[in-house]
Amino acid sequence: RGHLIGEGHRLHQNVNARAAHMDRLITDLLRLSQLNRQPLHKQPTRFADLAQSVIDGMAHEREGRRIEFTIADFPTWQVDQGLMRQVFVNLISNAIKFTRDREQARIDIGYRMDGGTLVCFVRDNGVGFNMKYMNKLFGVFQRLHSADQFEGTGVGLSIVRRIVERHGGKVWVDGQQDQGATFFFSLPDGTS
């Protein structure tokens, strides 16, 4: 009798976890489908402030972890602030997630100028990936790590790509297995 109660509790938790995952998946898919229809409302945005507020909002995900963040002093850039916040949420949360096994995680949020284009990056010292699979990273439902190993819906990087492309930019990545990853995105003409 005690075994059945324990088994019932385990099954109930499993169903709840799967329902929560499905809810996150549906929310992410709706967000992705709405990106093309949503007009851009560009305004001057301080990326350093945006990144810091995203990190501050992820206190729960960082709890009990040793994570060193560095944030560059970005130039102010004309972007849709709400959408750009989502880019930073997705990239920083991935960096936090994929550095989970590091005793001391390091996440750098920076930029460089390439002519008149701002090239931003989020770099971590996490698990990384094999570059031969890099083309899969920005596709919907494409994952390089199992859901058992790292939670997620497989939609977050597709959302990043869609937002950046709406701003006229591109996304790309550089990584190495067990050596971390750096996600880049470019944003042209942001000073006007």
Side-chain angles (χ1 to χ4, degrees), residues 50-181:
L50 194 61
Q52 186 63 58
S53 74
V54 167
I55 291 166
D56 292 345
M58 294 182 174
H60 180 70
E61 290 88 338
R62 298 183 292 119
E63 197 171 299
R65 302 263 319 267
R66 290 179 49 212
I67 305 175
E68 179 185 342
F69 289 96
T70 61
I71 303 172
D73 186 19
F74 285 83
T76 298
W77 214 251
Q78 290 275 353
V79 293
D80 184 300
Q81 201 168 76
L83 292 178
M84 199 51 55
R85 170 177 283 283
Q86 189 64 52
V87 167
F88 279 104
V89 164
N90 290 8
L91 293 178
I92 293 170
S93 67
N94 272 359
I96 290 171
K97 175 173 41 176
F98 290 110
T99 58
R100 181 183 311 149
D101 296 336
R102 299 296 188 244
E103 186 176 320
Q104 174 68 58
R106 179 171 175 81
I107 299 171
D108 300 315
I109 303 158
Y111 79 97
R112 70 173 190 266
M113 294 303 300
D114 186 5
T117 298
L118 179 69
V119 177
C120 305
F121 65 84
V122 176
R123 175 183 301 126
D124 67 63
N125 67 338
V127 297
F129 61 93
N130 187 326
M131 282 293 284
K132 75 179 182 180
Y133 301 114
M134 72 178 206
N135 291 332
K136 295 177 83 177
L137 281 173
F138 295 100
V140 178
F141 304 129
Q142 298 295 315
R143 298 176 55 101
L144 299 185
H145 302 89
S146 73
D148 292 340
Q149 193 178 14
F150 295 101
E151 70 283 351
T153 61
V155 180
L157 291 176
S158 297
I159 291 171
V160 167
R161 184 184 69 199
R162 184 84 47 97
I163 291 170
V164 170
E165 287 175 352
R166 292 273 330 271
H167 282 80
K170 298 178 192 168
V171 296
W172 66 99
V173 64
D174 186 26
Q176 192 173 4
Q177 200 134 11
D178 203 40
Q179 300 295 314

